[in-house]
Amino acid sequence: MKKVFITGEIPTKGLNLLKEHFEVDVFEGEKLITKEILLQKVNDVDAIISPLSTNIDKEIIDQAPNLKIIANYGAGFNNIDIKYAREKGIDVTNTPKASTNATADLTIGILLAASRRIAEGDKLCRTTGFNGWAPLFFRGREVSGKTVGIVGLGEIGSAVARRAKGFDMNILYTGPNRKPEQEASIGATYVSLDEMLAQADFITINAAYSDALHHLFDKDAFEKMKETAYIINASRGPIVDENALVEALKANTIEGAALDVFEFEPKITEALKSMDNVVLTPHIGNATFEARDEMARIVAHNTIKKLQGDQPDFVVNA
């Protein structure tokens, strides 16, 4: 019987499907799997199912001579050496679309939390309390009628745009390519990054990560933004230079930020934790029962297809 190793627990919806066909081993440690344990576990497996938090590099791949597929549990795949996997004839798959609604909801949620100071207000109510309603007390920013700039108008970016339309927001987007169909259906306007920085009241990052996007938002980018602007990142941490972000927030170069992902994840830049104008969430963009169940179903079906001689879906290194 073919062997599957799962580097962290996944919902039973996917696990039960796999157990119908294969010998399945799951790492169940309280902390993330270490590289040492991973090297021990993969030497005779036919498939690895890995969440984004597990790095599958050349050394891991070389340790698994029978490996035929790495099914990544997540839309991203920058945790895997996909080029080397292809050289070895190994398919790498991901779970696109399953995360779309959940991540778009979270993006809008933390945008609102930052602009209306929701987390800050919750903390106040639970600690010192407040003296009552007053005209100048705890003012935030309305989102209705404002301009949102979206970096990456893919599945998730488009879903964010549709939600933003519900607030009568003006939609700008930027990326390597124009997307006329999305522009027409959503009512979005394509602009350069510099134009977006200058015009947007809120900027949400919803692009798939690539080396070209590393520190796209740096000191120079923050200085081009409005002083009342907010940056929201529910994509990948390294797109934002967190040290530059800290300095921009301290200097009031921009007004606030909301981050679901972090440059040095799982570590969070210490200065961000003490800032009231920053909302922090622990990479929960697709952490819904619905999304995580669907992701489990996709990785299970991709693994079953590949190990039964069929072509899996969503191969990212074809």
Side-chain angles (χ1 to χ4, degrees):
M1 183 176 286
K2 289 185 170 63
K3 296 183 178 181
V4 176
F5 180 61
I6 307 176
T7 68
E9 294 181 88
I10 66 171
T12 55
K13 185 172 185 177
L15 186 61
N16 291 340
L17 284 171
L18 291 163
K19 287 182 175 179
E20 291 176 9
H21 301 275
F22 313 118
E23 180 182 330
V24 180
D25 184 15
V26 183
F27 177 74
E28 297 179 343
E30 290 184 5
K31 296 184 178 180
L32 298 178
I33 191 169
T34 64
K35 187 170 186 177
E36 290 72 25
I37 294 175
L38 187 54
L39 285 167
Q40 295 170 16
K41 290 285 190 178
V42 301
N43 63 325
D44 63 346
V45 302
D46 299 278
I48 296 173
I49 293 175
S50 57
L52 290 167
S53 53
T54 303
N55 289 318
I56 309 293
D57 59 15
K58 182 178 184 292
E59 187 179 3
I60 301 298
I61 293 170
D62 283 340
Q63 185 69 12
N66 299 330
L67 190 60
K68 301 171 184 64
I69 183 171
I70 304 167
N72 216 38
Y73 187 94
F77 44 86
N78 55 299
N79 57 311
I80 300 171
D81 189 335
I82 62 173
K83 291 182 179 179
Y84 189 67
R86 176 47 56 209
E87 290 176 19
K88 303 290 283 189
I90 299 165
D91 284 344
V92 177
T93 63
N94 67 341
T95 59
K97 300 186 180 182
S99 302
T100 298
N101 287 328
T103 306
D105 289 350
L106 188 280
T107 299
I108 294 296
I110 59 176
L111 184 156
L112 290 167
S115 66
R116 293 303 310 275
R117 304 172 66 183
I118 292 172
E120 189 184 351
D122 179 83
K123 179 181 176 182
L124 181 70
C125 289
R126 295 173 188 271
T127 53
T128 60
F130 65 109
N131 294 324
W133 187 94
L136 302 183
F137 176 64
F138 232 78
R139 290 179 294 175
R141 298 285 177 185
E142 293 185 10
V143 302
S144 299
K146 298 292 177 62
T147 295
V148 61
I150 300 173
V151 180
L153 199 68
E155 290 283 342
I156 294 173
S158 295
V160 170
R162 288 191 292 272
R163 286 155 175 76
K165 276 294 182 183
F167 291 96
D168 296 321
M169 299 186 84
N170 176 41
I171 313 295
L172 306 178
Y173 80 98
T174 194
N177 302 300
R178 290 192 65 167
K179 299 190 174 181
E181 289 186 12
Q182 285 93 322
E183 287 181 27
S185 64
I186 296 169
T189 301
Y190 182 79
V191 294
S192 68
L193 177 61
D194 281 352
E195 288 176 297
M196 176 182 290
L197 294 172
Q199 297 178 38
D201 300 294
F202 302 91
I203 293 178
T204 77
I205 304 171
N206 300 106
Y209 183 76
S210 69
D211 290 340
L213 295 181
H214 183 77
H215 284 186
L216 180 69
F217 286 85
D218 55 10
K219 182 177 184 290
D220 182 59
F222 292 126
E223 288 177 348
K224 292 176 180 177
M225 291 171 64
K226 294 180 178 181
E227 291 183 0
T228 55
Y230 287 73
I231 181 80
I232 292 88
N233 189 6
S235 176
R236 291 293 177 267
I239 296 176
V240 175
D241 180 341
E242 285 186 5
N243 288 326
L245 174 60
V246 167
E247 293 307 311
L249 291 165
K250 285 182 177 179
N252 297 317
T253 304
I254 64 172
E255 193 162 272
L259 307 175
D260 184 51
V261 291
F262 305 94
E263 184 176 359
F264 309 107
E265 195 169 315
K267 294 181 180 178
I268 300 172
T269 298
E270 199 63 31
L272 292 170
K273 298 179 185 179
S274 60
M275 291 182 165
D276 288 333
N277 57 342
V278 179
V279 171
L280 305 174
T281 52
H283 201 152
I284 56 172
N286 59 21
T288 63
F289 289 101
E290 296 86 351
R292 295 288 170 87
D293 279 353
E294 178 62 8
M295 292 163 70
R297 186 194 67 79
I298 291 172
V299 295
H301 276 285
N302 280 337
T303 302
I304 292 166
K305 280 186 173 183
K306 182 64 179 181
L307 297 190
Q308 291 184 341
D310 296 326
Q311 177 68 21
D313 299 320
F314 312 124
V315 177
V316 299
N317 66 337

